[in-house]
Amino acid sequence: MSLSRIVTLDEFIIHRQKDFPYASGELTGLLRDIGVAAKIVNREVNKAGLVGIIGRAKSENATGDEVQKLDLFANDKLIECLKNSGECAGIASEEDEDFIPLTPIDGKESKYLVVFDPLDGSSNIDVNVSVGTIFGIYRRVSDMSGPCTKEDFLQKGGQLVAAGYVLYGTSTILVYSTGRGVNGFTLDPSIGEFCLSHRDIRIPERGNYYSVNQGYYLKFDVEMRRYIDHCSDMNLRLRYIGSMVSDIHRILFQGGIFLYPNTRKYPHGKLRLVYECNPLSFIVEQAGGKAITCQLQRILELDVNHLHQRESIAIGSPAMVDEMRDFVERYSAAPSFR
Ligand code: FBP
């Protein structure tokens, strides 16, 4: 498929279905429906200031974080699209306490589940800084004759069959992988279609950027402070948007490393394993990068004990993640590295 002609997301997904000999079209349908939900969310994000949808909603989410009105809008739209798709047996959202089993349409049980962060970086919504939707797709492990169960959503990231994100930025781009490389599709508002714009994305081995909330520097463990000092000594440039999906998107194309270490406030890290770390680690690994915790475990191999589990993370260019690993092994006081 040459980039010289317009290739829409739907066309590309259908074309790639042949990569899966036993494909039934369900995953194709699900990816297509997520694309539709992204267009609806994009429309509201773009005119947020005009339709009274900016600002806080008077509620907190499952993990006690402030919720923005647009968070709830995006959450509702994704749930609605997945409910109507008929290709999804259940969903788990960062905004909802528990997973939501979906009623089969026409009695047809689906074998897929979707986890998502409806709007990542929501603290940036009101100030017009890029935000994104992050999603992951799993195959059920529970008995298909009944509704999905919690076990279905506690699968390791390595079990993902597909993952992706939509970035609502200077342009809107959907980036996804089904485990056979990573491709990006830019929304062309004039035809209302996501069109193939970035084929087979490969992350650079190394980059000139590091991404961390430097404001927490003194709250990080000594080995993280040593590594951040090293980044500065190496004249790497600090870039931190405060929307993980936006920082990861930059790193996918320009290289670099994103860090959210554990702190006193977040002793296990802040970012959610199921909705943020696993799907983005799947994408980055598919593009040739690496993703580990600041205790050096591979993110995609982590046990998932509960839906809103938080983890520390170091993710990005492989050579830079390896270098961070060396610093932890050299400077960490933790007995496991002695
Ligand atoms: P939300 O999904 O609730 O927006 O939280 C996640 C997030 O906003 C990430 O996108 C971002 O990297 C991080 O939190 C910023 O956190 P902090 O302000 O503590 O640096």
Side-chain angles (χ1 to χ4, degrees), residues 110-124:
S110 171
K111 60 175 178 271
Y112 291 112
L113 310 145
V114 180
V115 299
F116 59 84
D117 176 355
L119 220 53
D120 176 61
S122 41
S123 60
N124 282 325

Side-chain angles (χ1 to χ4, degrees), residues 53-161:
I53 205 168
I54 53 175
R56 286 192 211 131
K58 293 187 181 46
S59 61
E60 288 183 351
N61 68 12
T63 40
D65 302 287
E66 272 168 19
V67 177
Q68 307 290 317
K69 291 179 188 166
L70 209 46
D71 269 323
L72 298 181
F73 175 87
N75 198 44
D76 294 346
K77 284 302 158 203
L78 276 153
I79 293 173
E80 194 184 306
C81 284
L82 293 168
K83 259 189 187 151
N84 300 336
S85 89
E87 309 293 6
C88 182
I91 54 178
S93 162
E94 181 191 290
E95 299 307 332
D96 294 294
E97 179 71 37
D98 210 344
F99 71 94
I100 305 169
L102 298 182
T103 317
I105 292 185
D106 307 333
K108 178 176 148 317
E109 279 290 356
S110 171
K111 60 175 178 271
Y112 291 112
L113 310 145
V114 180
V115 299
F116 59 84
D117 176 355
L119 220 53
D120 176 61
S122 41
S123 60
N124 282 325
I125 295 170
D126 295 5
V127 288
N128 213 356
V129 172
S130 60
V131 292
T133 296
I134 307 171
F135 66 89
I137 300 176
Y138 288 94
R139 199 173 275 109
R140 295 178 61 160
V141 290
S142 60
D143 184 338
M144 290 277 288
S145 61
C148 60
T149 64
K150 180 155 278 184
E151 282 51 55
D152 285 318
F153 295 93
L154 302 182
Q155 299 183 60
K156 294 184 177 185
Q159 302 307 108
L160 282 161
V161 292

Side-chain angles (χ1 to χ4, degrees), residues 1-5 7 9 12 16 165 167 170-177 180-187 194-202 249-250 252-254 287:
M1 278 182 160
S2 70
L3 273 182
S4 58
R5 69 175 186 82
V7 178
L9 175 64
F12 185 87
R16 279 296 180 93
Y165 61 81
L167 181 62
T170 42
S171 63
T172 294
I173 184 167
L174 186 153
V175 172
Y176 86 101
S177 176
R180 287 178 170 72
V182 181
N183 294 280
F185 301 78
T186 301
L187 182 62
F194 282 106
C195 303
L196 182 61
S197 52
H198 302 83
R199 171 198 295 286
D200 201 19
I201 300 165
R202 298 302 294 171
H249 185 75
R250 182 191 55 256
L252 261 184
F253 289 91
Q254 297 181 333

